[in-house]
Amino acid sequence: MRHAPRVRLLALLLIPLLQACPPSRCDADGDGVEALRCEGEDCNDASAAAFPGGDEVCDGVDNDCDGSIDGDDASGQPTWFRDADGDLFGDSGDTLSTCSRPAGYVAEAGDCDDTRTLVHPLATEVCNGVDDDCDGSVDGPDAALPSIWYADADGDGWGDASAPTESCVQPPGTADAAGDCDDGDPEAYPGAPEFCDGVDTDCDGVLDGTWFRDADEDGFGDASQPTDACLPPAGYVEDATDCDDAAGATWPGAPELCGDGADNDCVSGHDGSCGSVGAYTHAELPRLLDGSEHLVEGIGMASGDFDGDGVDDLAVAHLGPDEVVIYRGPFSRDQPPTELIRLPDPEGSSPGGFGSTLLGADVDGDGQDDLLITRSHPASLSGEQSVTLHLGPLVDADADAVLRAEGVFGFGHALALLPDTTGDGLPDLAVSLLDEYPASGWWSGGLYIFAGPLEGDLTLDDAVGSLAGWTGGLGWSLQAGDFDGDGLSDLAAGVPASSGQTGHVVVLAGPLTGDLGERLVGTVLGPDEGSHFGGGLGLVGDQLLVGGLWTGTAAPAAWLAELPWDGAELNAELPITSGALGIGASSGLGPIAARDLGDFDGDGAADLVLAATNPSSTGGTLAIRPTFLDEPGSPITSLVGPGWPAWPGWLHAPGDLDGDGFDDVLLCLVQGYEQDGQGLGVLWGGPGL
């Protein structure tokens, strides 16, 4: 209570101050014009710069209260320059002045060509006949990517390699090619005529001439025995292309002689096709396995050094009981093979397809062969679809990694090892999927890429690249290779189609990741409907070997095609060769092999295996022909069989099984799924089969 008089005194002193300080309620910004709320004319009573008659400037405010913000009458409008090519530099001759930047205009001028995005003041000057950096100089001394020119004092078109100069255009007195060994002599340059004058006029480092020893006097010399002289010494010739200077019957273009073991013509690397050396029926073919232990032996096969002893072994898939048995190499014609290890079907209660596709390869890049086993055709969709990996050397039946697919049919129908398609230096794996049997008509397929190293349990979701839903059986056959030479693995996939459709092959370029449809770079179309073109794939040099059926005879046939690129589409024409016998009706599609597999007759040349089976008639045919496509000749041997299986891995060429110098062929033999006449047949290579 004693403080009340003091409080009342302070209040009385503040009253005059409070009455003098507040601005006018109708002119809050103090610009002398009352606000619209007080029936005045100030359109913005929060800004002293806005009132009727004010100066309009570029500030985002309606300064003169004419209803227009930063209008055409605003002062201080910046100048904008037209940027037609979008390089952020505009044409100084095409301008607009406005407070805000119009679309297509920029603040920086100086573009000397507003039609080219790569031409502007900050561009790099390159040798292209254009003033790239807009400095007024075309291809000036600062230009990048100049050509190299060489001083050509004698004007012979060849320059001195020790006197180079860089320039966008050719300076006078220069040449674009180096290599002149005497730039003061116009008669001396690479490729000039050589004379016996003591001068190296052709710049090959040799005076006058070079001659080559012709010991066998066939007119062709040995490139490893040259001599320099004006005239040829006795026993020397100018030609240096003899591939065997100790054999008078061997020179470029000589007649090829069968059976002499010599490459007579110095071109093909063989002694010619020695003609037919045997023909067999199903019952006559020798057996490596006699069929006494399993219902079907050899539905899938693969070779590799699985135990690490330096000798190739053989993995063979069997039905009834379903298992993969690895037999230890080497092998003999007279003794049954020795078992190394047995790998039983993990889904033994649901038989059908365990090991139908096997792949022996170094999957993890450690230098040791590994084994991949497919389980792709179970008795029902309830059975597991899988690809199991067993890392070598194999010591037990436990898988090191398992790729699983649920609710599909035919996962792992074909496998291909990709040495590196993702760019990480590790091997990768391509797996195809066929979700219907081919005889059913509209069957579809897909591809999945799994990045190495493969570890643990994996599913389709772990694939780094995929392509699914294609009709016609995408991935019935696979062939890997670096087709474009970029160091990444590419992939060719057969799409053999069903009856009434044209088969084809698609080529996918690495890196094979993401949507593989975006990696499609070429297509090879089959010759006509029903040919099942793409049923088998291989490589012969840099050409793609494609297997199918020759529709005139339903015989297995092979085509060669250069791999197409850049979206190219190539139409196959006549096959390079076909088997002598057909398989009858071609409504069903079993395995069609067309592969450059080995030297079966010992002539020094790899031979081509043509084979097919027909599921609808349980018949098969096989022929082996030389791969010297300019010398077709007769088949080396042929086979016919009443009951070969429609499994992808029924035929295998393991190389020289018995060590006699001739490659061999293995064939699964089925005859009505009965014991008699079945087993794993072997076509032992060599003359006199």
Side-chain angles (χ1 to χ4, degrees), residues 180-237:
D180 200 337
C181 54
D182 187 349
D183 203 32
D185 183 357
E187 301 295 327
Y189 54 85
E194 187 69 59
F195 303 99
C196 286
D197 55 3
V199 178
D200 180 16
T201 53
D202 62 0
C203 295
D204 66 353
V206 179
L207 297 180
D208 301 329
T210 302
W211 313 93
F212 303 91
R213 178 67 173 160
D214 180 18
D216 56 10
E217 299 183 349
D218 57 9
F220 297 86
D222 183 352
S224 67
Q225 299 188 55
T227 188
D228 299 330
C230 222
L231 297 174
Y236 284 79
V237 294

Side-chain angles (χ1 to χ4, degrees), residues 34 57 59 89 159 319 352 357 459 511-512 533 545 573 580 637 643 677-678:
E34 292 189 345
V57 295
D59 61 355
F89 288 89
L319 291 180
T357 301
T459 69
L512 300 179
F533 185 83
L545 184 68
E573 298 179 354
T637 191
Q678 297 188 161

Side-chain angles (χ1 to χ4, degrees), residues 594-652:
R595 287 174 283 181
D596 182 0
L597 290 177
D599 181 9
F600 304 106
D601 59 353
D603 65 356
D607 303 311
L608 175 66
V609 173
L610 298 169
T613 63
N614 186 350
S616 61
S617 63
T618 62
T621 178
L622 177 147
I624 299 178
R625 290 181 177 271
T627 55
F628 302 108
L629 306 177
D630 55 343
E631 306 171 18
S634 301
I636 296 170
T637 191
S638 62
L639 288 163
V640 293
W644 294 347
W647 299 97
W650 63 281
L651 176 120
H652 181 56

Side-chain angles (χ1 to χ4, degrees), residues 364-377:
D364 56 358
D366 65 352
Q368 170 67 52
D369 287 334
D370 311 308
L371 180 63
L372 287 160
I373 304 175
T374 285
R375 192 176 193 283
S376 60
H377 295 85

